[in-house]
Amino acid sequence: MRVVIARCSVDYEGALQAHLPLATRLLMVKADGSVLIHSDGGSYKPLNWMAPPCRMTELEPEDEEREQGVQSVWLVQHGKREDHLRIRLHEVHSDSSHDLGIDPGLVKDGVEAQLQSLLAEHIGTLGEGYTLLRREYATAIGPVDILCKDGAGATVAVEIKRRGDIDGVEQLTRYLELLNRDPHLAPVQGIFAAQVIKPQARVLATDRGIRCVTLDYEALRGQDNSASRLF
């Protein structure tokens, strides 16, 4: 991971246009190619970012930029869309790189892990003809909660949360972008499953072609109720 603290401005062009005026910010370039721009506030969310697949190129500033005090330019281009970030660095305070190694992934809390286990056991909850391929399907950016096939034989990646928010949709989007590069799996569809899904997350998921499923924890547990067994 490359970590840079610099005085910079940022322009995004894509489905919309956005501008971050000149200020000191934290820039992160991750091993998966993603680039994130953070301020010293706003909790954990970046001000702007580009998710993989994308490519970053360091350029010499144009004459007009150089006159404005720009020392270097980062051009971050998305690999599948026309979206791009142009980051103009005026002053670099710190620039360091670190090898973080392989991350073991997020350790689920009790309820979330149980949801995953129950849904895997009763995969038909997602629809008729669904079959389980694997739980915790490993990828280079972390494990997909559930990988399965739908009734038509298409591959489906399922991300499971207790409370589904925009970050969960973004996480599933990154998994889908990576999985769809594998010709043995593609095309891969996505399902965002949670006990509660926030309206903003549902809108974003729908816009990206991701199906949302609300999980009833007690109903899933009831399907495996030992009190109802004969043996």
Side-chain angles (χ1 to χ4, degrees):
M1 177 186 290
R2 184 179 177 186
V3 180
V4 177
I5 298 175
R7 186 166 172 79
C8 64
S9 64
V10 183
D11 285 281
Y12 166 79
E13 289 191 16
L16 51 82
Q17 293 185 332
H19 174 69
L20 291 173
L22 187 62
T24 301
R25 299 186 175 93
L26 167 64
L27 310 175
M28 300 173 63
V29 184
K30 295 188 176 181
D32 63 6
S34 56
V35 178
L36 302 92
I37 301 105
H38 286 271
S39 66
D40 196 12
S43 187
Y44 57 91
K45 293 185 178 180
L47 299 169
N48 212 327
W49 69 94
M50 187 71 72
C54 61
R55 181 182 71 259
M56 189 187 84
T57 307
E58 296 190 48
L59 307 173
E60 289 294 322
E62 297 175 356
D63 292 341
E64 183 179 350
E65 292 172 327
R66 198 183 301 277
E67 290 175 2
Q68 296 170 352
V70 178
Q71 295 181 356
S72 64
V73 176
W74 291 3
L75 180 63
V76 187
Q77 178 67 55
H78 195 275
K80 295 183 178 180
R81 303 188 298 269
E82 295 300 318
D83 303 37
H84 68 269
L85 288 170
R86 190 174 183 89
I87 306 172
R88 299 173 175 87
L89 284 73
H90 288 246
E91 183 181 5
V92 176
H93 301 291
S94 174
D95 186 343
S96 60
S97 297
H98 310 272
D99 183 0
L100 303 186
I102 299 175
D103 192 276
L106 181 68
V107 178
K108 308 290 185 179
D109 64 40
V111 174
E112 204 165 289
Q114 186 69 2
L115 277 171
Q116 183 190 121
S117 175
L118 289 169
L119 185 58
E121 187 174 353
H122 305 288
I123 198 69
T125 301
L126 299 176
E128 187 176 352
Y130 272 71
T131 56
L132 178 69
L133 293 178
R134 188 170 179 178
R135 288 177 57 190
E136 299 288 337
Y137 182 83
T139 75
I141 58 174
V144 177
D145 287 337
I146 288 178
L147 199 68
C148 58
K149 294 276 190 182
D150 65 14
T155 309
V156 181
V158 185
E159 180 64 27
I160 301 171
K161 302 291 184 187
R162 280 192 303 169
R163 297 182 61 83
D165 56 19
I166 285 177
D167 287 340
V169 177
E170 293 288 0
Q171 182 180 358
L172 178 54
T173 299
R174 293 192 293 272
Y175 287 144
L176 290 172
E177 289 179 343
L178 188 64
L179 292 170
N180 272 302
R181 298 182 206 172
D182 187 338
H184 299 292
L185 298 176
V188 184
Q189 302 170 8
I191 292 180
F192 188 52
Q195 288 180 284
V196 178
I197 300 177
K198 294 184 178 180
Q200 301 94 325
R202 190 178 292 274
V203 169
L204 180 61
T206 302
D207 182 67
R208 294 182 176 179
I210 295 171
R211 177 182 159 207
C212 291
V213 173
T214 303
L215 298 176
D216 186 330
Y217 180 60
E218 295 303 326
L220 283 171
R221 288 185 64 191
Q223 293 184 54
D224 190 38
N225 188 347
S226 59
S228 64
R229 297 177 185 167
L230 293 176
F231 303 99

